[in-house]
């Protein structure tokens, strides 16, 4: 697994992929938080990072599948996947190595945004007038949300050898799970089905963590989704190995 992890990380930083991802994400969220008139903190007048945490998932829904779409699809297209599968390498090592490498790239991309918290902390009146617990909970939610979307993206990449198709499936799956479930739950009123769909929606789990109280139920659910999609990927890789 460590060999796959190092190989993937190395391929990211030996090409333009990692740098393009970081520049695109940081530029997009930087404009949202500090420049755009409808969302920037300076015009908002409150020491709050709500605009960043509410809009960052939408950027990641498109950005993460663009990173993961090549994970297995490119290996299958070039024939290197068959070579990997012939080596004394467990399928779980292959899947987890690729998942952790892609997730690590996203976490590295998110790390510079900590400066937003520091800036708002210093700009507050009085200094430090910011809900640090809510910020910490939102970051935990964002990291787990990223892991879920990464696992969805790698699963999408395992379905065929076309990267564009993998990207579209990855975006669609993440979008439906993030917004679709909540939107559909409204159609069922207040019944049991509506409650289940609303609870299963990623946006509800993510927003719950951003309230400053990290509930273990939210964390377990997001980790379970990561495990579920990694299991689907593992099952698909095992089918390819037969």
């Amino acid at each position: 697994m460590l060999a796959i992890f190092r190989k993937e990380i190395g391929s990211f930083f030996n090409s333009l992929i990692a740098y393009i991802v970081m520049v695109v994400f940081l530029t997009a969220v930087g404009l949202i938080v500090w420049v755009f008139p409808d969302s920037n903190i300076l015009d908002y007048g409150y020491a709050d990072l709500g605009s960043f945490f509410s809009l960052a998932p939408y950027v990641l829904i498109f950005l993460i599948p663009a990173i993961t779409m090549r994970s297995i699809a490119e290996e299958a297209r070039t024939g290197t996947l068959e070579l990997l599968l012939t080596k004394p390498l467990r399928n779980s090592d292959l899947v987890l190595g690729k998942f952790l490498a892609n997730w690590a790239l996203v976490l590295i991309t998110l790390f510079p945004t900590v400066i937003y918290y520091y800036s708002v902390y210093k700009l507050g009146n009085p200094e430090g007038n910011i809900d640090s617990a809510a910020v910490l909970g939102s970051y935990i939610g964002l990291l787990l949300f990223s892991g879920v979307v990464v696992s969805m993206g790698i699963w999408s990449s395992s379905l065929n050898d076309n990267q564009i198709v993998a990207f579209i499936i990855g975006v669609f799956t993440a979008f439906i799970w993030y917004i679709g479930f909540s939107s559909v739950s409204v159609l069922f009123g207040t019944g049991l089905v509506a409650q289940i769909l609303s609870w299963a929606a990623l946006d509800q789990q993510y927003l719950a963590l951003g309230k400053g109280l990290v509930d273990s139920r939210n964390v377990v659910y997001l980790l379970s989704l990561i495990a579920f999609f990694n299991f689907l990927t593992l099952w698909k890789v095992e089918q390819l190995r037969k």
Side-chain angles (χ1 to χ4, degrees):
M1 184 179 69
L2 289 177
I4 295 294
F5 178 85
R6 288 194 295 266
K7 171 183 173 296
E8 290 291 306
I9 288 290
S11 67
F12 285 140
F13 286 98
N14 288 331
S15 66
L16 292 175
I17 295 174
Y19 308 102
I20 291 174
V21 167
M22 291 178 183
V23 169
V24 169
F25 178 77
L26 294 175
T27 300
V29 297
L31 290 172
I32 290 169
V33 174
W34 300 106
V35 178
F36 290 163
D38 294 332
S39 60
N40 79 79
I41 294 172
L42 300 178
D43 289 344
Y44 185 55
Y46 293 94
D48 181 59
L49 284 173
S51 59
F52 166 66
F53 288 115
S54 62
L55 295 174
Y58 292 97
V59 179
L60 293 174
I61 281 174
F62 289 93
L63 198 62
I64 291 177
I67 302 170
T68 59
M69 66 181 185
R70 60 180 290 276
S71 294
I72 297 178
E74 178 69 9
E75 302 268 20
R77 188 183 66 83
T78 59
T80 54
L81 181 61
E82 295 180 1
L83 180 62
L84 284 173
L85 295 179
T86 58
K87 292 183 177 295
L89 179 70
R90 291 183 299 180
N91 295 337
S92 58
D93 291 336
L94 175 65
V95 173
L96 288 177
K98 286 183 174 292
F99 166 75
L100 292 175
N102 281 273
W103 197 13
L105 178 60
V106 177
L107 301 189
I108 292 170
T109 303
L110 288 173
F111 181 74
T113 64
V114 175
I115 197 172
Y116 298 163
Y117 167 73
Y118 178 76
S119 300
V120 174
Y121 183 93
K122 300 297 288 187
L123 290 171
N125 186 19
E127 182 178 309
N129 183 28
I130 182 173
D131 189 347
S132 298
V135 172
L136 177 61
S138 295
Y139 265 114
I140 292 173
L142 196 58
L143 297 181
L144 291 173
F145 169 79
S146 300
V148 172
V149 180
V150 167
S151 65
M152 290 176 174
I154 295 179
W155 167 70
S156 302
S157 181
S158 71
L159 298 178
N160 61 81
D161 61 358
N162 190 310
Q163 295 185 45
I164 303 302
V165 174
F167 171 76
I168 293 172
I169 295 175
V171 171
F172 178 77
T173 305
F175 188 81
I176 289 297
W177 225 286
Y178 186 68
I179 301 173
F181 285 0
S182 293
S183 301
V184 172
S185 68
V186 177
L187 302 177
F188 292 92
T190 58
L192 178 61
V193 174
Q195 293 176 18
I196 293 173
L197 287 173
S198 179
W199 187 85
L202 277 176
D203 61 342
Q204 298 300 315
Q205 301 289 333
Y206 173 67
L207 292 173
L209 288 170
K211 294 178 180 178
L213 179 63
V214 178
D215 192 326
S216 60
R217 291 173 296 180
N218 303 123
V219 174
V220 169
Y221 175 71
L222 294 173
L223 290 175
S224 298
L225 270 184
I226 292 173
F228 173 70
F229 279 98
N230 280 335
F231 173 78
L232 291 181
T233 305
L234 177 61
W235 178 81
K236 183 61 179 178
V237 169
E238 288 177 346
Q239 296 301 308
L240 294 172
R241 196 161 199 165
K242 292 179 179 179

